[in-house]
Amino acid sequence: MEEEQVFDIENRRSKRIPVGMHLEVSSVFKQNNVYVSNINAPIEVVDISKYGIGFVSASVLPIGFYFDSRLKFEDERDCINCVVRIVRRKKRDDGLTLYGCEFVGMSPVFDYVFDDAEKDYISKADYRGCE
């Protein structure tokens, strides 16, 4: 059985942006052709950065496995198809599991999407701070 990794150490390379996205993971795979299907795990993305996503799910997904994802941002102009690798998980008190994942092989050409999302988040936070 895999060990759950602790989230206490902040080692992210870019700012995390809170988001509300829903995805469905139907299968996961590993580089050595290990493939697990029929998972049908609904997940809720809670934050995103240039390098990865954080999400919660009631399903238990294996660390070190990959899944295909289509990220659709709030303004619905930008969508990114990408591969995500699960790097850590931690069981929460509410019974859900929090996962940390990294994007694999994503082209830097998509950096503008994350830069725009970060600028939008900061400007909204600044606006809310002025109320």
Side-chain angles (χ1 to χ4, degrees), residues 13-76:
R13 296 175 281 173
S14 68
K15 184 170 182 59
R16 291 182 294 164
I17 304 162
V19 294
M21 295 180 183
H22 299 280
L23 300 172
E24 179 82 21
V25 176
S26 58
S27 63
V28 294
F29 56 91
K30 210 160 185 174
Q31 287 181 329
N32 57 359
N33 293 325
V34 175
Y35 189 81
V36 180
S37 59
N38 297 323
I39 294 176
N40 300 320
I43 64 174
E44 182 178 343
V45 179
V46 293
D47 61 49
I48 193 165
S49 75
K50 261 183 216 184
Y51 302 104
I53 61 174
F55 68 85
V56 294
S57 179
S59 301
V60 177
L61 301 170
I63 295 172
F65 277 65
Y66 302 78
F67 63 90
D68 294 316
S69 175
R70 179 175 177 85
L71 301 174
K72 192 171 191 177
F73 290 83
E74 284 180 10
D75 62 9
E76 297 193 10

